[in-house]
Amino acid sequence: MKFFVYHTPELAPANVLPDCAIVVDVLRATTTIATALNAGAEAVQVFSDIDSLMQTSDKWPADKRIRVGERGGAKVEGFDLGNSPLSCTPEFVTDKRLFMTTTNGTRSLERVQASPVVLTAAFINRRAVVDYLLAENPETVWVLGSGWEGSFSLEDTACAGAVAQNLLNEIGHPIDDCAGNDEVFAAIALYSQWQNKLFELLNHASHGQRLLRLGCYEDLQYCAQTDILDVLPMQKEPGVLVKSDIKK
C-alpha cells in the first residue's frame, strides 16, 4: 500500500486517481456525514453548487429530504440545516436523504468522485476507516484534506496524520515503506504533537476560530473526539454517500 496525503484538493495530481480516496473535512462536513449516516440517514448527496442541489432535491419527496447548506461557516438562507453534526439526530434524519453543500468538503468529494472507492473520514470515525484499509489493502490511498478555500487547514492534516499513524502502527511496516509523499510525514508529526489535545488544536485552527465566533463551541468539542462512531461513509454512486455494510 502506498499512502499519500494532500492538504487540499488543488494539490492533488491532475489526471490520475487512487484506488481508494479518503476525503477529510473535520470542520465540519465529514464529521456531519458520519454522524448523519450513523443516526439513520438514508444517504448524503453532496454538491459544490447550490443551484444544482436545489434542482436535484426538488425531485425528492419533501418529507424525505433535508437540505444542508453552509457558506463561510454559516447556514445558507432557506436551508433546513447548516453544517452542524449535532443537528443530525435520529429523530430528524432517520430514513431521509441529506442534500449537502459546504464551502470546502463537497468540493473535495467532487475532485475524487471518479475513484473506484471513495470514503470520508473525520476524527470521530477514524478507526472505521483504518479497519477498512487493513481489510481491503488498496494499492494506492489518498487522504485528501479540504482546507479552507484552497489553503491548508490544521485540523484536516492532523486527521490525515491520525489515519496514517494508526494504520502504520497496525501494519507494522516502517513509514518509508508506505509513505508516498512528504506530506505523510508532516501529517503524522502534526497529529503526534496534538493527539492528546485535539480540542485545543481546533481552537487554534483558523476555521475553528471562525466557528467559535459563530457560537459553535459544542461543535468543536464534538469534532475533536476520536473513534466514537463505528461508521464508514462510502460513495455508492457519484456524489452519494451511504453507510457501508462491509464487514470489517
Side-chain angles (χ1 to χ4, degrees):
M1 184 189 303
K2 277 295 182 184
F3 193 94
F4 299 80
V5 170
Y6 298 103
H7 301 310
T8 69
E10 292 81 5
L11 293 172
N15 305 316
V16 63
L17 289 167
D19 297 304
C20 176
I22 303 168
V23 171
V24 176
D25 185 5
V26 171
L27 297 176
R28 290 164 291 171
T30 59
T31 302
T32 298
I33 289 167
T35 303
L37 294 176
N38 187 70
E42 177 263 335
V44 180
Q45 188 165 352
V46 299
F47 302 81
S48 60
D49 177 71
I50 291 175
D51 290 338
S52 296
L53 181 153
M54 296 301 293
Q55 291 170 12
T56 302
S57 61
D58 274 342
K59 301 170 186 174
W60 209 260
D63 63 343
K64 291 293 184 181
R65 74 177 180 224
I66 298 172
R67 290 170 173 151
V68 179
E70 170 268 327
R71 289 292 183 271
K75 176 172 166 289
V76 175
E77 185 176 353
F79 276 55
D80 301 303
L81 297 177
N83 191 21
S84 173
L86 299 179
S87 300
C88 296
T89 61
E91 296 77 13
F92 195 57
V93 306
T94 295
D95 296 330
K96 296 181 182 179
R97 177 167 295 203
L98 275 65
F99 295 86
M100 171 186 277
T101 181
T102 69
T103 306
N104 303 294
T106 47
R107 290 188 306 107
S108 297
L109 283 159
E110 285 197 347
R111 167 65 182 85
V112 293
Q113 69 180 12
S115 302
V117 176
V118 178
L119 312 173
T120 66
F123 287 119
I124 62 169
N125 72 321
R126 183 269 308 264
R127 184 68 212 185
V129 173
V130 171
D131 284 344
Y132 173 86
L133 296 176
L134 291 169
E136 300 298 321
N137 194 29
E139 187 172 338
T140 56
V141 177
W142 289 5
V143 181
L144 191 67
S146 299
W148 178 262
E149 296 183 345
S151 62
F152 169 89
S153 67
L154 282 171
E155 67 278 4
D156 290 349
T157 296
C159 185
V163 173
Q165 184 184 84
N166 195 192
L167 178 67
L168 290 168
N169 286 345
E170 292 285 347
I171 292 174
H173 293 318
I175 186 173
D176 290 322
D177 291 352
C178 299
N181 60 1
D182 287 354
E183 288 90 331
V184 177
F185 293 86
I188 291 174
L190 179 64
Y191 174 68
S192 296
Q193 181 177 348
W194 291 92
Q195 59 184 313
N196 297 318
K197 42 186 179 178
L198 291 174
F199 179 59
E200 184 179 340
L201 175 69
L202 298 192
N203 277 265
H204 286 306
S206 60
H207 191 40
Q209 293 179 13
R210 191 177 292 111
L211 291 172
L212 287 172
R213 288 194 292 271
L214 292 168
C216 300
Y217 179 83
E218 291 182 349
D219 275 16
L220 261 65
Q221 288 184 308
Y222 179 78
C223 293
Q225 298 177 93
T226 303
D227 300 337
I228 61 168
L229 298 183
D230 184 22
V231 59
L232 181 68
M234 178 179 287
Q235 182 176 259
K236 74 167 184 176
E237 59 187 79
V240 179
L241 295 144
V242 298
K243 184 178 180 180
S244 170
D245 59 2
I246 290 176
K247 303 301 180 186
K248 300 186 285 294

